[in-house]
Amino acid sequence: MATKIINKTVTEFSLRITRCFFVPSKTIQTNATLFQERLETSITNVEEQLPTTIRPPLPIIHSRKLAFPPKFKAPRQVWVSNMDTVEEEKLGLIDLHPEVFAERPRVDIIHENVRWQQLYRHVSYANTKMRYEVRGGGKKPRQQKGSGRSRHGSIRSPIWRGGGIVHGPRSPTPYFYMLGFNTRLNGLRSTLSAKLAQDDLHIVDSLDIPTDDPSYLEKLVEERGWGPAVLFVDDNDIMPLNITAASDSHGHYNLMPVYGLNVYSMLKHHTLVLTLAAVERLEERLLFHLNRNDAASAGQKYRLDSV
């Protein structure tokens, strides 16, 4: 009896072991396919939760080689921030050339640039009539001699009331003149330096924002303490789509390429925001003209109309 029980137990144990090791191949393939599908689903969910842009470890910028390195001035360091979140995140430091961003602001040069920009697009339409344009006056008012009064040939003479006007304004009168190249160049340097000294100049990595909702841009400006009027400058005139749509409904958030940057626009806006590419391009052009050797010959053809 005991022997039968032992044999039965051993036989059942052997069958269980056999079932564990000898699984049908169809079941193995089914389980492998199910595992592969679950793995792909998990990877897809993780990729959807990850942010679209992954930045390198901070800080991304610590220093850079400046063209025409200054001898007696230290470079100015400015934080580089982001635009893809409302909360400001410091991405690193960037060195700015002192001859562009740390000059002593010349208020007189800034005023000359502003006055020039206000006048070169101004046209006066004030107009007065000369004696040949005034109606009437064809007949001689009185005889030449014998009346004892002064001699006159027309009542529309400038010395008569209701007559023509001499040396009066004639329309259209443009007030355009060409400001000197060095004055324009130093105006940009003075304005950029003044903006940086007043903490109204900020550097961002790019103008890419995650949404085209105008409220996102409003919250970003309010969170960072920027002024009510902001000028965004990039190196290209084709701006990112989201910030173009977000700033379209706001008249005080404007976009401008770096080649159109001017003194009047910088002073008109409270805050100036430059991208890294715009800073590179701006320094490249200004330093080139400050240190070029052929400036006199290059500006010869513009000297006739300059003041």
Side-chain angles (χ1 to χ4, degrees):
M1 188 67 181
T3 304
K4 290 181 180 180
I5 294 174
I6 292 172
N7 291 335
K8 185 178 181 181
T9 305
V10 172
T11 302
E12 292 177 357
F13 182 74
S14 301
L15 289 174
R16 289 179 182 178
I17 294 176
T18 304
R19 292 193 188 101
C20 292
F21 285 97
F22 297 95
V23 183
S25 60
K26 184 177 181 181
T27 306
I28 293 176
Q29 293 176 359
T30 304
N31 293 338
T33 305
L34 182 61
F35 175 78
Q36 184 69 21
E37 292 176 356
R38 291 180 178 177
L39 180 62
E40 292 176 356
T41 305
S42 301
I43 293 175
T44 305
N45 294 335
V46 171
E47 289 177 351
E48 291 177 354
Q49 294 175 1
L50 288 175
T52 56
T53 57
I54 301 177
R55 299 195 199 94
L58 301 180
I60 59 174
I61 295 177
H62 51 87
S63 64
R64 64 191 181 105
K65 185 178 180 181
L66 299 177
F68 304 100
K71 296 181 180 179
F72 307 106
K73 293 182 180 179
R76 298 298 189 266
Q77 289 189 335
V78 180
W79 283 107
V80 180
S81 57
N82 65 320
M83 289 277 290
D84 53 1
T85 59
V86 175
E87 295 77 15
E88 186 174 12
E89 183 179 355
K90 304 295 186 182
L91 304 182
L93 287 170
I94 181 174
D95 292 334
L96 300 180
H97 204 289
E99 292 187 2
V100 177
F101 294 94
E103 281 295 310
R104 183 176 181 180
R106 289 278 303 274
V107 181
D108 56 332
I109 293 181
I110 294 177
H111 172 73
E112 287 183 19
N113 278 267
V114 172
R115 186 63 179 161
W116 168 63
Q117 287 189 248
Q118 289 176 338
L119 287 180
Y120 71 58
R121 59 186 177 185
H122 174 64
V123 178
S124 176
Y125 292 96
N127 185 54
T128 55
K129 293 182 179 180
M130 302 185 72
R131 64 178 296 170
Y132 66 87
E133 296 174 324
V134 182
R135 180 183 176 85
K139 180 184 178 181
K140 188 177 177 64
R142 51 180 173 264
Q143 60 182 0
Q144 183 79 359
K145 290 177 172 289
S147 65
R149 304 177 68 182
S150 60
R151 297 168 295 211
H152 290 287
S154 173
I155 61 173
R156 296 301 178 237
S157 172
I159 61 178
W160 282 69
R161 185 167 180 259
I165 305 297
V166 180
H167 305 307
R170 305 289 292 174
S171 68
T173 305
Y175 289 88
F176 173 81
Y177 65 95
M178 198 61 206
L179 194 64
F181 179 78
N182 290 331
T183 307
R184 287 178 280 148
L185 183 66
N186 292 326
L188 289 174
R189 297 167 61 202
S190 296
T191 309
L192 289 170
S193 302
K195 283 289 185 182
L196 181 61
Q198 296 173 351
D199 197 22
D200 290 331
L201 189 147
H202 302 277
I203 311 295
V204 296
D205 56 345
S206 67
L207 296 181
D208 292 322
I209 58 177
T211 178
D212 59 355
D213 188 7
S215 62
Y216 175 87
L217 202 57
E218 293 179 1
K219 293 177 182 178
L220 186 144
V221 172
E222 183 179 359
E223 175 69 22
R224 305 190 182 187
W226 295 351
V230 184
L231 179 63
F232 298 94
V233 181
D234 202 358
D235 66 327
N236 198 358
D237 52 5
I238 302 177
M239 303 292 177
L241 180 61
N242 285 343
I243 195 170
T244 303
S247 61
D248 187 50
S249 59
H250 297 284
H252 47 277
Y253 297 156
N254 295 314
L255 307 176
M256 180 178 290
V258 70
Y259 61 77
L261 190 63
N262 57 86
V263 174
Y264 185 81
S265 296
M266 285 191 284
L267 294 180
K268 184 179 178 181
H269 296 80
H270 297 82
T271 305
L272 177 64
V273 179
L274 302 175
T275 62
L276 290 174
V279 171
E280 293 282 353
R281 184 64 175 167
L282 195 59
E283 286 190 357
E284 176 191 352
R285 298 309 301 163
L286 293 183
L287 291 174
F288 168 75
H289 288 294
L290 284 174
N291 297 275
R292 66 185 304 176
N293 298 324
D294 59 340
S297 58
Q300 184 69 31
K301 59 182 179 180
Y302 302 109
R303 229 170 250 181
L304 182 64
D305 297 330
S306 63
V307 294

